[in-house]
Amino acid sequence: MMSTEHTKLAFVLPEYGIHTHFRYVGEFAVALAKEIDIVLVLEKGEAPPDFPKEKVYTQHFHFAPLRFLEMGYTLLSLYVRGYRTQYVHYSFVAGFWGALAGRLEGVPRII
């Protein structure tokens, strides 16, 4: 069994809301947060009610170029803080920045 003692995960969702299909993914993040250290990054919306508020980051900017840079800053800063594993659910921008962080680490390109 894998040790969860030092596992850190950046978990990115486009949004969370009770009326979206992302709800079940947010609920999964809540359950997973009981086992490992997760920071939930939301592009918009509010955090799941049972998720620790200090472990949630919701993007602030609405202007697309600034949102792009904000996501990059957020994911790269989490990467530097030890959140080397990143789960991205339906976000091309976060996927781009996550892949860039992996390449900085020297992770081989996967096709």
Side-chain angles (χ1 to χ4, degrees):
M1 174 123 184
M2 184 178 89
S3 170
T4 58
E5 185 176 320
H6 299 294
T7 304
K8 291 183 170 188
L9 175 68
F11 199 101
V12 183
L13 289 175
E15 67 178 305
Y16 175 81
I18 60 171
H19 300 294
T20 70
H21 78 278
F22 297 116
R23 179 180 179 189
Y24 74 93
V25 181
E27 291 170 354
F28 174 69
V30 170
L32 195 57
K34 295 175 183 170
E35 302 296 325
I36 63 174
D37 185 4
I38 294 181
V39 171
L40 182 61
V41 179
L42 299 172
E43 292 182 359
K44 60 183 174 180
E46 296 182 13
D50 298 337
F51 204 88
K53 301 295 185 218
E54 66 277 0
K55 293 285 194 168
V56 177
Y57 180 81
T58 304
Q59 285 195 273
H60 302 289
F61 293 107
H62 298 284
F63 184 57
L66 293 178
R67 289 180 65 79
F68 178 79
L69 294 173
E70 180 184 18
M71 181 61 75
Y73 175 79
T74 302
L75 290 182
L76 291 174
S77 66
L78 285 171
Y79 189 84
V80 168
R81 290 180 16 214
Y83 292 87
R84 304 271 161 107
T85 304
Q86 300 177 352
Y87 173 79
V88 178
H89 191 82
Y90 290 112
S91 174
F92 293 111
V93 172
F96 169 81
W97 286 109
L100 180 63
R103 287 193 175 67
L104 292 174
E105 178 81 8
V107 175
R109 183 174 175 195
I110 299 173
I111 299 175

